[in-house]
Amino acid sequence: MEAKSINMVIAVLSGKGGTGKTLVSVNLASAADESAYVDCDVEEPNGHLFFKPEGVQETAVSVLIPELNDQRCDGCRACVDFCRFHALAFINNKPLVFDEVCHSCGGCILVCPKKALTEKEKIIGKVQKGKSDQVTTYTGILHIGEASGVPIIQRLLSKERVDENKLTIVDGPPGSACMAMESIKDADYCVLVAEPTLFGVHNLDMVYQLVKLFQKPFGVILNKCLEDENPAETFCIENHIRILGRIPFDTNLGSLHSNAKIAVREKAFYWEMFSALLDTIREEVPHETARYS
């Protein structure tokens, strides 16, 4: 018997890398009868190592940045004064463009009275689409040295790229900065993964504050649970946070994961564990979404 597919977007978050975010993401996606897995950790994607997708299609992702025509520029500084990101500097009576800082807003081009600035494409990374059994995989890869992966995440989560008729599991970037924000903007529900340590509480609080800021319905999965006191569980109880489930500290599960194997495809016990978690989330989403609507 297979877990039923659900038509929703679930974003999985954690305050840092190594908490178990990818473990939860790939196994939830694999526990569904049909799903899409979207790896938004574009600085260091690793979901594809587990799924090993076939028939991979690759598309470059580019942004538009300003390019100066020296012959038209009269040195009026309008573009430099306009840019709030300091992506333009006035040197030798001409604006100098810093590609790495540019946010591609196009404002400098609009304010230039001489039309001395035009836009050119700059490739910053790529997205890959493949298939692994019943899971359609989407992977974003940011080129080394690029400042922001937000445009890649926007491409990954665009409506024409993600199949809306499937359960979509978004493996978000660690932390709570801009890329994590972008990865949850259209999520129906957020799953926060936490470790049973005081440091884990600090990281949990980071993403807890983020989902509250975005008014997203959410719940917590406690990972690596031991019989000892769990500070992350205490944090959830004190803040009235829904605990979706507990994953025990399990050397067999850790061994499978460290060898890039998907636990639910290896042993029935893990399939039952993550299918139960998926069912819990499926039951939670309509109730929680109603609260935030």
Side-chain angles (χ1 to χ4, degrees):
M1 180 179 177
E2 294 183 338
K4 294 180 180 179
S5 176
I6 42 180
N7 181 13
M8 62 182 64
V9 178
I10 299 171
V12 183
L13 305 173
S14 65
K16 70 171 184 64
T19 302
K21 174 175 56 63
T22 297
L23 168 73
V24 170
S25 300
V26 298
N27 281 283
L28 286 179
S30 298
D33 59 355
E34 190 176 21
S35 66
Y37 168 84
V38 185
D39 195 344
C40 288
D41 188 3
V42 299
E43 291 182 332
E44 198 171 0
N46 61 350
H48 65 285
L49 300 176
F50 297 88
F51 285 111
K52 303 173 182 61
E54 299 178 348
V56 175
Q57 303 170 12
E58 188 172 285
T59 306
V61 178
S62 61
V63 295
L64 295 175
I65 59 173
E67 184 175 38
L68 179 68
N69 183 331
D70 289 330
Q71 303 302 317
R72 291 188 176 184
C73 180
D74 63 359
C76 72
R77 290 184 57 98
C79 58
V80 177
D81 294 337
F82 172 83
C83 184
R84 294 297 177 265
F85 303 109
H86 305 290
L88 293 148
F90 201 65
I91 300 175
N92 293 329
N93 294 320
K94 300 288 181 182
L96 176 66
V97 180
F98 296 99
D99 295 355
E100 297 79 7
V101 188
C102 178
H103 281 54
S104 303
C105 72
C108 58
I109 295 168
L110 294 175
V111 301
C112 179
K114 299 296 183 180
K115 306 299 180 185
L117 290 170
T118 56
E119 289 181 315
K120 66 176 181 179
E121 286 192 353
K122 176 188 178 184
I123 296 176
I124 63 168
K126 57 189 176 182
V127 296
Q128 296 176 334
K129 177 183 178 181
K131 191 75 174 179
S132 175
D133 291 342
Q134 82 284 16
V135 182
T136 304
T137 64
Y138 298 86
T139 303
I141 303 171
L142 179 69
H143 286 172
I144 294 173
E146 295 298 335
S148 174
V150 169
I152 297 178
I153 294 175
Q154 290 173 337
R155 179 71 64 85
L156 282 169
L157 299 177
S158 61
K159 291 187 181 300
E160 66 270 16
R161 187 163 298 277
V162 177
D163 190 337
E164 294 182 346
N165 295 319
K166 298 177 182 178
L167 164 70
T168 299
I169 302 293
V170 176
D171 190 349
S176 57
C178 296
M179 290 194 292
M181 294 181 190
E182 192 66 36
S183 70
I184 70 170
K185 281 174 62 176
D186 296 320
D188 298 304
Y189 193 81
C190 294
V191 174
L192 316 184
V193 183
E195 292 178 313
T197 64
L198 291 174
F199 189 36
V201 171
H202 169 75
N203 293 308
L204 173 59
D205 189 40
M206 289 170 58
V207 285
Y208 168 57
Q209 298 298 333
L210 176 64
V211 293
K212 284 205 307 179
L213 177 66
F214 277 76
Q215 296 187 321
K216 291 292 182 180
F218 67 95
V220 171
I221 291 179
L222 300 172
N223 190 26
K224 307 176 187 176
C225 293
L226 298 166
E227 293 182 359
D228 301 333
E229 181 181 354
N230 189 331
E233 182 173 5
T234 302
F235 177 86
C236 291
I237 294 171
E238 291 176 347
N239 290 277
H240 309 289
I241 299 171
R242 172 82 159 95
I243 297 175
L244 301 168
R246 296 165 177 82
I247 300 174
F249 182 83
D250 183 343
T251 55
N252 290 325
L253 179 59
S255 178
L256 287 171
H257 194 68
S258 64
N259 284 285
K261 294 183 178 180
I262 300 175
V264 302
R265 295 182 178 177
E266 299 294 324
K267 293 187 177 182
F269 171 78
Y270 298 122
W271 187 92
E272 292 172 359
M273 176 193 298
F274 284 97
S275 292
L277 283 172
L278 184 56
D279 287 341
T280 299
I281 295 168
R282 180 179 58 188
E283 293 168 1
E284 186 75 4
V285 172
H287 170 70
E288 287 295 318
T289 303
R291 285 182 53 208
Y292 284 81
S293 61

